[in-house]
Amino acid sequence: MRRRHHFHTDHAGHSVSVTVQTGHTAVVEVLVDGKETGYATTGGDRPVNVRVELPTDPPTAVTVRATPGPGIPRCVLEVEGAEGQVMSPRPY
């Protein structure tokens, strides 16, 4: 059964949102400031890293680590030189 989970955080003045669609193949979509900038799939509950850039000057490379399962998915925003930031689940 497929189900969508939404996550969000703000970093360096930019909005980072993630949708994780669970199922046999998990689909991860990353939006920065409302624009899709990253996409990945993974089998089952295997974690996946999606690399994207924040539109700063110069651009900031970040990685979203999505873990589809087991259980409720989790997402962490990773920025070089900083501790990972757990992304908050959104109910919409």
Side-chain angles (χ1 to χ4, degrees):
M1 181 164 155
R2 298 183 78 69
R3 186 167 176 208
R4 288 180 168 256
H5 301 268
H6 305 279
F7 300 87
H8 180 83
T9 193
D10 291 312
H11 183 76
H14 296 280
S15 169
V16 181
S17 300
V18 179
T19 299
V20 178
Q21 184 171 328
T22 59
H24 181 68
T25 300
V27 177
V28 179
E29 299 172 335
V30 180
L31 285 78
V32 174
D33 296 336
K35 297 178 183 175
E36 185 176 331
T37 57
Y39 178 90
T41 60
T42 185
D45 292 337
R46 282 180 273 177
V48 63
N49 291 329
V50 182
R51 296 176 192 261
V52 298
E53 287 186 342
L54 300 181
T56 56
D57 188 24
T60 303
V62 298
T63 301
V64 173
R65 185 180 66 225
T67 306
I72 297 173
R74 296 166 303 284
C75 290
V76 176
L77 180 70
E78 298 176 338
V79 181
E80 188 174 326
E83 187 173 327
Q85 183 176 352
V86 176
M87 299 180 73
S88 301
R90 297 290 177 176
Y92 54 88

